[in-house]
Amino acid sequence: MPHSLAGLRAALGRPVSGAGLRAFRALFGGLMAIGAARYWANGWIETQLTDPVVRFPWPGLEWIRPLPGFGTHALFGVMIVAALLVAANRWPRPAAAIFGLCFTWVELIDRSNYLNHYYLVSLLAVLLAAVPAGRVVPVGAYHLLRFQFAVVWIYAGLAKLNGDWLLRAQPLATWLPTYADWPVVGPLLAAPVAAYGFSWAGAAFDLTIPFMLAWRRTRRAAFVVAVGFHLAVWALFPIGIFSPLMIAGCTLFFAPDWPRRGPPIAEARPIGRLAVLAAALWITIQVVVPLRCLLYPGPVNWTEEGFRFAWRVMLVAKTGRVEFRVTPPGRATPVIVRRFPDLTPLQAQMMATQPDLIHAYALRLARRYGDGTALAEVRADAVVSFNGRPAARSIDPSFDLAAAPESCAASPFIAPLPAPGRPAADL
Amino acid sequence: MGRTPAVVALALGAAVAGFAGCESTDAREQVVATWVEALAVPGHRAFADAAAALAERSAAACADDAPRGADIDAARDAWRAARSRWKALDVFGIGPYDAYPDRLGPHIDFRPLRVERIEARLADPPTADDIDDVGAAERGLPAIEFLLWGAEAPWPGARCQYLVAATADTARLAEALRVAWTDDFAGQLLAPDGDPYADSEAVFGALLNRMGDLILVIRDDRLGRPLGDKAGGVPQPQLVESPFSDRSLDDIRDALDTVWAMYAGAPGRPGLAAMPQVLARRAVDEASTVEVNVDARFRRAYAEARVALDGISSPLAEAVVESPARVRAAIAALGQLQTVIQVDLTGVLAVQLAFGSGDGD
């Protein structure tokens, strides 16, 4: 255990084979190329990026937009080529940087498209652009990537330590019965005990798998379990490349020379101070950012404040609907907005259950129905069914959403999660 | 071959055989079968028959030089019957209804009706041979309604010529819609092969979404717009459906009847209420409060919506001006029903509102 910065630099700089990292690059690049091509082939470039006439930009990043003309498709073309270069280990660091830039641009175009595994891909692209890619690399490169995957698993596991997941087996108790028609295993999946079994096993898996993979004696078994777990999740839920990506991440925990044994590497070169500082900053951010939900009142899975960038995966089943009462300046009677032809079905679905998107759309309505000098007042009638609960109001219907600017502060308009047994929402 | 590989091979073989030999017991498929075989297909047949009867009655009323009042009344009754069958199909406005190349629905029921164009056409009315050249806003059930009730042109003459042409055209379109459903689209829903629906889950979700969307359309277009919801509260009575026949509220009731049938099922056929998830939820929640019982909530919301609709005095065009609070109450009651369908039921049944839109996590 190093007791000084110099000792830490020496320990992290211990040279090891780069073969394991190279294998991970090959898997990552291959998956990303497939993922980008699949996104294109499914028509999602159009439906999610270029077709929407209204976007939900990230505050402060409104300038990130789809590129004009064929530009967004070209961006995906560049992304695929860059991913293939990463996979082939040709200029892997610049290629990872270019891939990450393109991917993150696309990811940031619309908040309603946010997915945790998209965020993970961006982070991994940054790390792969930053860490050495030679035949011999400092062991710190492995540690940093292992840490990144461990953060995902552990925060995902910690997020599962709540009543809904452990005591009500939600949302799996809602999702699994939809597979009742599967031959042989369907009736088993539909049984309530299956939801509890999957819930508890899932939490246990997330909380222990990085340690089991890190410990040499349990590594083989842990890898088999991880592959089985992620394949099962992949089969059951539409989570795209997330499962294969996590399986690829497991290989980082193997001995660095697992793909190809080479001669012993003797020469040690401490890594630079700047690299240690950058890694420390990265680690701090990764540890702190998921915890920001603690700064907000109310259950995060309900309010969704601090929900993103926190690895809160598979925790929430929400269905909802929303309509707005818009009172233009100088008018007493509101205009009722019940339908959203300017939104795509996915955007409308996401908005109906996410308070910050409801707020963003309300601000848009406030400007649209304003008179140029004053905003319209906008109130939302929004109801959500959350993890099997009956529909309940998610937004205070008396709150003028136009009066609240978008900010990182706690949203005063989010209705509290009703206690069990309260009357159903009226709308 | 050693013992272990042999055992593994046998186990794999047994598993494959087990999968292959298992017949699907998908409750969604059974419910979709009810919706298609017991509601949509017979409903389209009934509408085609009613549209044919309307064409016959209209032709009979116009056979004499000066139609008698009883003949006109018979034609009007036939229109009401056809309209009732048609509105019962509201929730099935997919496939050949709105998809190219058929896109039959808008030619049967297009709004807003262009009354001024129809009146202009009465100077040189279309015949059965050239009605295809007439725009959607000047043909179909709304145009026929106007010709039967609203037009000021005298009988028979041009009004009769237009009526006969329009009713024959609607009967032809109704039959084409029936054939499209019976011969093709019903099969696509019952055995989806990827186009337009990937699987039975997609079909089920699409039709469940149609239920919720229909309630939204009723609230927003058929009640809310005439009430002035888009006009700052100023009533717009000219925007009601079926204004000339005073059938606006019955149109809504007919549409709701099918929503109820989709939930409750047909004789001997399961509806949503028989879905295992809904049944399980009901069983679990019977010991709890009624508010968390999705089955009870649906039944109560539906009943209250019907009561609220019945509380609106007919015609709707007058009610939106004279008793707007009752119309507002119906919109609110229908909102509860919409919530139960779009929020509670889709939640319990884990149906996504938008399919094929992307991945999740």
Side-chain angles (χ1 to χ4, degrees), chain B residues 278-294:
Chain B
V278 178
L279 286 173
R281 187 73 187 274
R282 185 167 56 184
V284 166
D285 292 341
E286 269 168 355
S288 186
T289 60
V290 70
E291 283 77 14
V292 296
N293 182 327
V294 68

Side-chain angles (χ1 to χ4, degrees), chain A residues 7-95:
Chain A
L8 182 66
R9 289 170 56 204
L12 294 175
R14 180 170 64 84
V16 293
S17 168
L21 204 49
R22 199 164 165 172
F24 176 73
R25 285 181 200 276
L27 292 169
F28 177 84
L31 283 172
M32 293 307 107
I34 292 169
R38 173 175 168 265
Y39 199 96
W40 189 328
N42 283 339
W44 294 342
I45 294 178
E46 291 83 9
T47 58
Q48 294 191 13
L49 302 175
T50 59
D51 284 354
V53 293
V54 172
R55 291 177 300 109
F56 292 97
W58 295 87
L61 299 177
E62 291 82 2
W63 48 276
I64 296 182
R65 299 163 172 271
L67 300 181
F70 196 67
T72 306
H73 289 79
L75 200 66
F76 271 78
V78 172
M79 211 187 292
I80 291 169
V81 171
L84 290 173
L85 288 172
V86 172
N89 205 37
R90 295 279 184 260
W91 308 288
R93 294 174 67 185

